[in-house]
């Protein structure tokens, strides 16, 4: 059994146990890309607000979601935004995303892409508030994938998101498309291979955000 089939099977089992065969909001609330971006932000931040409160802490919502196109994005710490990207900036506590790039994923690969990218970037905001330190960038990125999986599972269990057949495959395909071509963990921009990102997301989904400790 391949890793991908194993992950797909584990997600199907978990999601079925939560009341449906997989995860989506299209047809439930978000019918457009813009609505899904807003819903992914609101729902994910509400999830983390509850998580922080359970620890006796206060989650600070992201100050702004900035949509940009191509090179016309906000700078972060003196570094310019780049096309085809989404990022969290701790200097200003905001998230920015190339709207054309994200919308293309939404159109071509389904709304699952939005419910991966936004929770992933909010995961970086959570890391900043927790003051988590990482030896390697790839550890930071894989933990954010794990956080995204944990947040998504929490929202499904709470009934905020509705499950639909085939969403497990959609989520895994989105992670595969975002994977690095090699497992060079020492690259400063490394995010993890497709298999590593799928595994990190599945860990969060199956075991919760408490299981998202940095690996390496």
């Amino acid at each position: 059994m391949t890793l991908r089939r194993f992950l797909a099977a584990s997600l199907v089992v978990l999601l079925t146990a939560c009341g449906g065969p997989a995860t989506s909001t299209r047809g439930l609330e978000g019918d457009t890309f813009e609505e899904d971006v807003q819903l992914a932000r609101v729902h994910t931040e509400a999830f983390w607000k509850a998580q922080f409160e359970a620890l006796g802490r206060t989650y600070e919502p992201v100050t702004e979601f900035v949509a940009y196109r191509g090179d016309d994005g906000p700078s972060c710490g003196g570094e310019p935004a780049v096309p085809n990207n989404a990022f969290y900036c701790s200097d200003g506590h905001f998230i920015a995303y190339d709207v054309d790039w994200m919308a293309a994923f939404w159109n071509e690969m389904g709304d699952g892409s939005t419910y991966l990218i936004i929770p992933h970037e909010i995961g970086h905001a959570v890391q900043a508030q927790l003051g988590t330190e990482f030896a390697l960038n790839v550890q930071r990125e894989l933990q954010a994938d794990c956080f995204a999986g944990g947040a998504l599972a929490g929202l499904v269990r709470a009934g905020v998101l509705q499950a639909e057949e085939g969403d497990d495959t959609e989520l895994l395909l989105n992670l595969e498309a975002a994977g690095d071509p090699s497992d060079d963990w020492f690259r400063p921009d490394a995010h993890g291979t497709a298999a590593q990102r799928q595994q990190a997301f599945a860990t969060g989904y199956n075991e919760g955000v408490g299981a998202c400790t940095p690996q390496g």
Side-chain angles (χ1 to χ4, degrees):
M1 179 177 290
T2 65
L3 174 63
R4 183 169 170 183
R5 288 179 180 172
F6 171 77
L7 292 176
S10 65
L11 286 175
V12 168
V13 169
L14 181 59
L15 289 167
T16 300
C18 294
T23 314
S24 179
T25 56
R26 185 173 295 176
L28 175 66
E29 295 181 44
D31 294 317
T32 67
F33 166 71
E34 291 78 13
E35 288 174 347
D36 274 327
V37 169
Q38 178 64 14
L39 288 169
R41 173 186 181 178
V42 170
H43 292 329
T44 305
E45 291 212 290
F47 168 84
W48 282 110
K49 181 176 182 290
Q51 294 293 308
F52 272 59
E53 287 177 351
L55 297 174
R57 302 184 61 165
T58 301
Y59 173 77
E60 295 294 335
V62 173
T63 58
E64 192 176 8
F65 263 50
V66 182
Y68 68 92
R69 286 184 164 86
D71 296 313
D72 190 26
S75 62
C76 177
E79 294 295 324
V82 298
N84 303 326
N85 191 33
F87 63 92
Y88 165 72
C89 181
S90 58
D91 183 11
H93 192 47
F94 68 86
I95 288 173
Y97 60 95
D98 185 329
V99 63
D100 292 335
W101 172 72
M102 273 188 58
F105 273 117
W106 189 90
N107 285 312
E108 296 168 11
M109 303 187 71
D111 57 350
S113 59
T114 305
Y115 288 88
L116 285 173
I117 294 172
I118 297 299
H120 174 97
E121 298 306 333
I122 290 176
H124 287 313
V126 170
Q127 291 169 337
Q129 293 184 55
L130 293 176
T132 313
E133 296 184 359
F134 302 89
L136 300 170
N137 186 70
V138 69
Q139 295 172 314
R140 184 190 316 274
E141 298 300 334
L142 291 177
Q143 186 184 61
D145 285 334
C146 186
F147 279 166
L152 192 59
L155 294 172
V156 171
R157 293 192 186 99
V160 175
L161 300 183
Q162 180 178 312
E164 292 182 358
E165 184 176 357
D167 287 335
D168 58 304
T169 300
E170 180 182 317
L171 292 168
L172 293 172
L173 286 175
N174 276 279
L175 286 163
E176 181 177 20
D180 291 339
S182 70
D183 60 352
D184 182 0
W185 278 45
F186 293 101
R187 282 175 41 208
D189 62 344
H191 280 57
T193 65
Q196 289 165 344
R197 299 196 68 173
Q198 289 171 336
Q199 182 65 70
F201 177 86
T203 295
Y205 204 108
N206 292 323
E207 302 177 33
V209 294
C212 299
T213 55
Q215 301 295 312

